[in-house]
């Protein structure tokens, strides 16, 4: 099974490094740049399974690709936030009207921004969305090229420690912010394969939670292409591990099979983004009992 791994899905990023992960499925881990590429890779057959935030699979369904949801994480209320500069006159979401906001558009960032604006009687067209891509959005914010920044882990945790930026909204106040693990119906995963994926994601999640330091070592080692605390830059290595451990401890790695509640959350997101004009047509998501 070809399992896609991009930097912002820590569960699959760790699975690629975790001993014995998905062994029964003979995994081939395919690295790629970002979650928004997942649908195209599934469509082309380059991967069989991907993990993203909530928005990319809805985008894929809007394209008529026939998404099949496999599993979902627990809500991750800490893994997303909107920041402004410390000295900015913007004191709340209500004051974002007409402002330039840096985000990865078409990711969960778009949904977080939409729901946050909606709470103040605004919609996405009331702000200017600035695609951040791989750029350093913190620098864009601090240097005044944008007025606000939608951030996620691991940059979010680092931003929270700074005194030159200020938090105005956190994910948990606006959206569930789950990770979704999904494929396309055309890829024909069997019921047995799906059960095995859910079981492995759950097992790995339990083991990560039981030993977050081990998970942090793997992430730090992967970042440096090295091996944890070993090597010539021990202080840097320990700093990296400490930072990753804080990220790992901040989230719930529990994974569930797809159920009606999760599909209902996805439907709410699809309806919300339609109201905001991000989508041009409505979509009705399939309930789990009718997907396969």
């Amino acid at each position: 099974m070809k399992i896609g791994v991009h930097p912002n899905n820590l569960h699959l990023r760790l699975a690629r490094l975790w001993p014995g992960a998905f062994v029964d499925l003979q995994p081939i881990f395919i690295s790629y740049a970002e979650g928004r590429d997942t649908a195209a890779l599934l469509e082309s057959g380059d991967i069989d399974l991907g993990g993203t935030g909530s928005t990319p699979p809805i985008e894929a369904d809007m394209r008529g690709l026939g998404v099949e949801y496999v599993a979902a994480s627990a809500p991750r209320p800490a893994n997303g936030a909107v920041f402004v500069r410390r000295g900015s006159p913007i004191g709340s979401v209500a004051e974002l009207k007409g402002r330039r906001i840096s985000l990865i558009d078409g990711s969960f960032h778009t949904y977080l921004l939409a729901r946050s604006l909606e709470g103040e009687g605004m919609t996405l067209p009331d702000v200017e969305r600035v695609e951040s891509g791989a750029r350093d959005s913190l620098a864009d914010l601090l240097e005044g090229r944008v007025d606000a920044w939608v951030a996620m882990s691991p940059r979010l945790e680092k931003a929270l420690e700074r005194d030159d930026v200020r938090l105005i909204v956190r994910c948990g106040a606006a959206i569930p912010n789950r990770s979704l693990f999904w494929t396309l119906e055309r890829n024909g995963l069997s019921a047995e394969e799906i059960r095995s994926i859910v079981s492995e994601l759950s097992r790995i999640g339990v083991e990560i939670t039981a030993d977050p330091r081990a998970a942090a070592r793997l992430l730090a080692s992967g970042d440096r292409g090295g091996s944890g605390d070993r090597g010539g830059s021990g202080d840097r290595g320990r700093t990296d591990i400490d930072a990753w451990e804080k990220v790992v401890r901040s989230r719930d790695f529990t994974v569930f099979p797809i159920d009606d509640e999760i599909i209902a959350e996805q439907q709410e997101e699809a309806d919300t983004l339609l109201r905001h004009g991000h989508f041009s047509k409505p979509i009705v998501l399939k309930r789990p009992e009718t997907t396969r």
Side-chain angles (χ1 to χ4, degrees):
M1 177 171 289
K2 292 173 287 188
I3 301 172
V5 180
H6 64 86
N8 291 324
N9 190 286
L10 288 190
H11 208 118
L12 290 178
R13 190 169 165 182
L14 278 164
R16 180 174 62 84
L17 303 168
W18 210 257
F22 295 99
V23 64
D24 290 342
L25 294 171
Q26 298 180 305
I28 300 170
F29 292 99
I30 308 294
S31 296
Y32 60 103
E34 60 165 280
R36 291 178 299 180
D37 298 331
T38 303
L41 292 169
L42 287 166
E43 185 179 15
S44 66
D46 289 324
I47 63 174
D48 302 310
L49 176 76
T52 67
S54 58
T55 310
I58 301 174
E59 297 267 6
D61 256 336
M62 285 290 171
R63 290 175 50 204
L65 295 184
V67 168
E68 179 167 19
Y69 291 95
V70 173
S73 76
R76 290 172 173 169
N79 184 34
V82 181
F83 289 92
V84 297
R85 291 183 296 280
R86 172 63 64 184
S88 170
I90 300 169
S92 67
V93 172
E95 296 172 307
L96 289 177
K97 188 169 184 176
R99 302 289 190 164
R100 290 169 54 83
I101 302 174
S102 176
L103 77 167
I104 300 175
D105 211 6
S107 74
F108 83 88
H109 293 192
T110 306
Y111 186 40
L112 171 59
L113 180 58
R115 286 295 299 269
S116 300
L117 292 170
E118 198 166 71
E120 300 295 337
M122 294 186 289
T123 62
L124 287 173
D126 288 319
V127 300
E128 182 180 348
R129 288 177 279 173
V130 178
E131 172 61 41
S132 64
R135 288 201 318 276
D136 184 354
S137 297
L138 176 59
D140 286 346
L141 178 65
L142 294 177
E143 293 168 17
R145 289 185 289 275
V146 296
D147 302 298
W149 166 41
V150 183
M152 62 183 169
S153 294
R155 290 179 175 177
L156 185 153
E157 285 78 12
K158 294 177 181 178
L160 288 170
E161 296 174 352
R162 301 179 65 97
D163 59 8
D164 51 1
V165 295
R166 179 163 42 84
L167 179 74
I168 60 170
V169 67
R170 199 74 181 259
C171 251
I175 65 172
N177 195 31
R178 300 180 191 269
S179 284
L180 278 299
F181 303 92
W182 52 287
T183 184
L184 301 182
E185 292 175 342
R186 69 182 70 179
N187 290 336
L189 296 191
S190 68
E192 182 179 352
E193 286 174 319
I194 289 174
R195 284 194 295 270
S196 182
I197 292 166
V198 175
S199 176
E200 270 298 88
L201 289 170
S202 180
R203 178 188 69 82
I204 293 164
V206 168
E207 292 181 6
I208 290 169
T209 302
D211 195 348
R213 188 69 176 178
R217 286 194 184 97
L218 289 173
L219 290 166
S221 177
D223 282 347
R224 297 191 307 278
S227 50
D229 288 317
R230 298 193 298 275
S233 54
D235 290 343
R236 165 70 188 278
R238 282 188 292 275
T239 300
D240 290 346
I241 293 168
D242 290 345
W244 274 121
E245 185 174 2
K246 183 179 295 186
V247 172
V248 172
R249 288 184 179 277
S250 74
R251 65 176 58 193
D252 187 339
F253 283 89
T254 306
V255 169
F256 309 96
I258 291 298
D259 60 17
D260 282 349
E261 178 184 353
I262 293 163
I263 296 299
E265 287 178 1
Q266 291 295 98
Q267 185 67 62
E268 182 179 357
E269 176 171 351
D271 295 344
T272 299
L273 293 177
L274 176 66
R275 287 196 304 274
H276 284 252
H278 183 74
F279 293 141
S280 61
K281 61 183 180 181
I283 187 171
V284 177
L285 301 183
K286 295 178 181 178
R287 297 293 175 181
E289 63 271 18
T290 64
T291 54
R292 285 173 57 84

